[in-house]
Amino acid sequence: MAAITASMVKELREKTDAPMMECKKALTEAEGDLAKAEEILRVKLGNKASKAAARVTAEGIVGTWISADGKLAAMVELNCETDFVAKNDDFLAFGATLAELVANANPADVAALSALEIGGKTVEATRSELVGKMGENMSVRRFERIEAQGQVSSYIHGGAKIGVLIDLVGADDELGRDLAMHIAASKPKALSSSEVPAELIETERRIATEKAAESGKPAEIVAKMVEGTVNKFLKEVTLLGQPFVKDDKQTVDALLKARKASVARFVLYLVGEGIEKKVDDFAAEVAAQAAAAKK
């Protein structure tokens, strides 16, 4: 069996917020498999052990651009090392320029975007100049481009740390902005249950099965409990299934039907989502330096 190290326990604790001893027990049970240990904690502790997916851990901004008629839009995530640089005017302008470039040039990927030109210089050359000017690394992480079926509305929150684009068909921009704000607040993973990744549903079903089995109820009751839990999960993570933030007595789906409107697609960016940022432990660093000086 793999040895359970302190760094493994620390990593699992940072991902889940679970107590240290629970993390160690889960890792031991999972024989050192971090992903399996996280599942074990989900079974034992429920949603208290699932904060990692929504945590924002890197610096940068979301840059957006929308055409005047709302028929074309783009969003770019531009990362840097510190929040100080993320607030810099040149950095913010670079993000906005990149979004407009994506919308109009329609590059295939980040490499293709980097080869495009801004004012006679490539995006990559412009990025390198900014790195030299600010003394901090920065990178273009991802982008999305929308050719709207209806009209695109947007919402930017938290100093451009959260960005939303939504293609709304059959309604006005006011509803579009309200729904964009809802998406920023509720962070749906998909538009409808049919678009939720199968592996994500399977993980929730497996966890629900293990938790329901602990109840000791008959198999047919356990099966119903599992399906109920999975259905609840799907409502929580899909835009159409979520209660509307401005009127939680109706779902977004019901709201859209009442307004005879529909959502063609949406894009949600959380700056740094899924990127683990190094956190320096100053006290530990000082202690280590003191110990080294004694030697």
Side-chain angles (χ1 to χ4, degrees), residues 138-150:
M138 57 189 68
S139 62
V140 183
R141 185 184 182 199
R142 53 182 173 167
F143 62 80
E144 289 281 348
R145 180 177 183 272
I146 295 179
E147 293 185 24
Q149 295 181 32

Side-chain angles (χ1 to χ4, degrees), residues 14 68 75 119 123 125 131 151 168 174 183 187 212 223 239 253 276:
E14 288 174 349
M75 186 156 63
V123 167
V131 168
Q151 185 171 334
L168 184 63
E174 183 179 356
I183 291 166
K187 300 177 180 59
L239 175 60
D253 189 32
E276 292 296 332

Side-chain angles (χ1 to χ4, degrees), residues 14-16 38 42 49-57 187 189 200 204 268 270 272-276:
E14 288 174 349
K15 290 189 71 176
T16 64
E38 190 172 346
R42 289 283 309 280
S50 61
K51 78 158 193 173
R55 192 173 66 218
V56 176
T57 57
K187 300 177 180 59
K189 297 181 182 298
L200 191 58
E204 293 301 317
L268 166 65
L270 309 177
E273 181 181 21
I275 299 175
E276 292 296 332

Side-chain angles (χ1 to χ4, degrees), residues 26 28 57 65 68 76 78 105 114 126 131 140 142 147 152 157 164 166 216 224 228 230-231 238 240 251 263 291:
T28 301
T57 57
W65 183 88
V76 174
L78 180 63
S114 297
T126 304
V131 168
V140 183
R142 53 182 173 167
E147 293 185 24
V152 176
H157 182 73
V164 178
I166 180 169
K224 289 180 180 179
V230 171
N231 287 334
T238 57
L240 297 182
T251 63
V263 175

Side-chain angles (χ1 to χ4, degrees), residues 63-96:
T64 59
W65 183 88
I66 304 176
S67 63
D69 62 3
K71 291 294 184 180
L72 181 64
M75 186 156 63
V76 174
E77 180 181 348
L78 180 63
N79 294 122
C80 57
E81 294 179 44
T82 66
D83 189 51
F84 178 77
V85 165
K87 295 175 181 176
N88 179 275
D89 287 342
D90 289 340
F91 186 79
L92 291 167
F94 186 45

